[in-house]
Amino acid sequence: MKIILKSSAVLFSVLMMSCGGKEEKKKEGFSVDRAKTTTEQPAPAPTPTDAKPSETVDLTNKGVGPITSLALAAEVDQEMAKKGEEIYNQMCLACHRVDKKFIGPAPKGVLERRSPEWVMNMILNPEGMVKEDPLAKALLAEFNGAPMANQGLTEEQARAVLEYFRTL
């Protein structure tokens, strides 16, 4: 009888060890396994308010600065545009490329999106524009907080650069 009792105890112990050893081991690090409960929906179509500031068209804003009114002749003044190109190449190419985004926005087509007064004020008074003009603030954010440097151009030089922009 002792043999049966000892055999039963050993059998019971082996049975318990085989069933009770399923302890989960802890994994290193953090992970969460969740089942996806929602279906993916396509992104909504962009609305005009979703446009980047560099692509926004605002021909009524004259900006903040010394230029409040500017009338452009129907024809481009080629001599002034040539001077403007020289100034642009000397003072602006470090941050701007004619037809692509660089550190700053591309000037190509800028007069289709901004008033001439706004462009002149941005050239002549970039600090004031960034402080007070909502569009200039938005551009600063779009271009990673890289402010436009004041190059100290005269109104005549800025006007020549604007005339160059008309040729792009």
Side-chain angles (χ1 to χ4, degrees):
M1 181 75 143
K2 288 183 178 181
I3 294 179
I4 293 178
L5 191 58
K6 285 183 182 180
S7 297
S8 296
V10 170
L11 183 61
F12 182 73
S13 297
V14 170
L15 184 63
M16 289 302 287
M17 286 194 316
S18 67
C19 292
K22 294 217 171 197
E23 183 178 314
E24 284 191 31
K25 294 181 181 178
K26 290 186 179 180
K27 296 180 182 177
E28 291 292 321
F30 177 79
S31 68
V32 176
D33 295 329
R34 292 187 181 166
K36 197 170 191 178
T37 58
T38 60
T39 59
E40 280 192 38
Q41 296 179 4
T47 61
T49 58
D50 292 338
K52 293 179 184 178
S54 60
E55 297 169 354
T56 302
V57 175
D58 185 355
L59 297 172
T60 59
N61 183 355
K62 295 185 184 234
V64 178
I67 309 300
T68 57
S69 179
L70 180 64
L72 298 177
E75 294 293 319
V76 173
D77 182 338
Q78 294 298 328
E79 187 177 321
M80 186 187 296
K82 185 176 179 182
K83 288 179 186 173
E85 182 178 12
E86 291 170 4
I87 295 166
Y88 176 84
N89 288 339
Q90 180 182 5
M91 306 296 279
C92 309
L93 272 180
C95 298
H96 298 274
R97 297 297 181 260
V98 171
D99 58 354
K100 68 178 181 177
K101 178 180 173 178
F102 189 51
I103 294 170
K108 185 175 184 177
V110 69
L111 294 170
E112 296 168 9
R113 298 182 306 274
R114 308 284 181 271
S115 69
E117 296 88 354
W118 191 94
V119 174
M120 290 275 294
N121 283 323
M122 193 65 189
I123 293 170
L124 295 170
N125 183 31
E127 300 94 349
M129 288 283 285
V130 168
K131 285 180 186 173
E132 299 178 35
D133 184 77
L135 188 51
K137 287 179 185 179
L139 283 167
L140 181 67
E142 179 183 345
F143 287 87
N144 301 318
M148 182 167 152
N150 189 336
Q151 297 295 328
L153 298 181
T154 65
E155 283 188 26
E156 183 180 318
Q157 290 172 318
R159 177 63 182 85
V161 171
L162 180 76
E163 198 68 12
Y164 169 61
F165 289 170
R166 293 179 68 194
T167 66
L168 300 177

